[in-house]
């Protein structure tokens, strides 16, 4: 007869072994989960800032077309959009400066469909165009840089947001 030695395992030793495996698995998955979480939050900030760029252009155009005497100058219209950007953007420590360009009546060369009752030059004299551009710099850029994909992301111009509002003078 051969003697057979069996190793007895107790529930306590099984729990210790599976607990150690869970810690290792958690350590492997945690960085990926954090990158995804930061990416989702950063994407939310980007969407918010895009909405604020659109609102800055709209607010500046609206301020410029409202009937008042004298009308706002080009510099004053641009200041409205710039102030809106400085006060509303989520910049996370980076610059929240927007590049603002206002085109006052007479400078716009209309590409819109012109009503048959008005010529293109008549329409140009009643329009105010405000363009706002903003470059978002968020934490996800650092993660992309660590992964070595920054060259591709920079060529795609992912963080640049633009909006243009064209309104007719009252």
């Amino acid at each position: 007869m051969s003697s057979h030695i069996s190793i007895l395992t107790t529930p306590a030793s099984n729990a210790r072994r599976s607990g150690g495996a869970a810690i290792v698995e958690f350590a492997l998955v945690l960085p990926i989960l954090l990158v995804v979480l930061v990416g989702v939050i950063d994407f939310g900030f980007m969407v918010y800032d895009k909405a604020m760029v659109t609102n800055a252009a709209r607010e500046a155009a609206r301020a410029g077309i409202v009937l008042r005497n004298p009308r706002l100058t080009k510099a004053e219209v641009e200041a409205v959009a710039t102030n809106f950007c400085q006060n509303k953007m989520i910049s996370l420590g980076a610059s929240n400066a927007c590049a603002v360009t206002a085109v006052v009546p007479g400078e716009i060369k209309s590409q819109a469909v012109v009503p048959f009752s008005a010529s293109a030059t008549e329409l140009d004299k009643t329009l105010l165009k405000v363009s706002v551009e903003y470059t978002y710099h968020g934490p996800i850029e650092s993660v992309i840089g660590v992964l070595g994909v920054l060259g591709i992301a920079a060529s795609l111009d992912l963080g640049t947001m633009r909006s243009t509002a064209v309104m007719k003078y009252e």
Side-chain angles (χ1 to χ4, degrees), residues 85-136:
C85 284
Q86 289 174 347
N87 294 330
K88 302 290 184 180
M89 297 297 234
I90 297 176
S91 62
L92 299 175
S95 172
N96 59 351
C98 293
V100 181
T101 306
V103 182
V104 295
E107 294 179 6
I108 298 176
K109 301 302 178 213
S110 179
Q111 297 174 357
V113 176
V114 178
F116 53 85
S117 63
S119 70
T121 55
E122 289 173 1
L123 191 61
D124 291 345
K125 292 177 184 175
T126 64
L127 296 178
L128 172 65
K129 178 180 177 182
V130 179
S131 298
V132 178
E133 183 174 313
Y134 173 72
T135 303
Y136 178 80

Side-chain angles (χ1 to χ4, degrees), residues 72-83:
L72 290 181
T73 64
K74 178 179 176 177
E76 290 171 331
V77 170
E78 290 174 350
V80 169
T82 302
N83 289 337

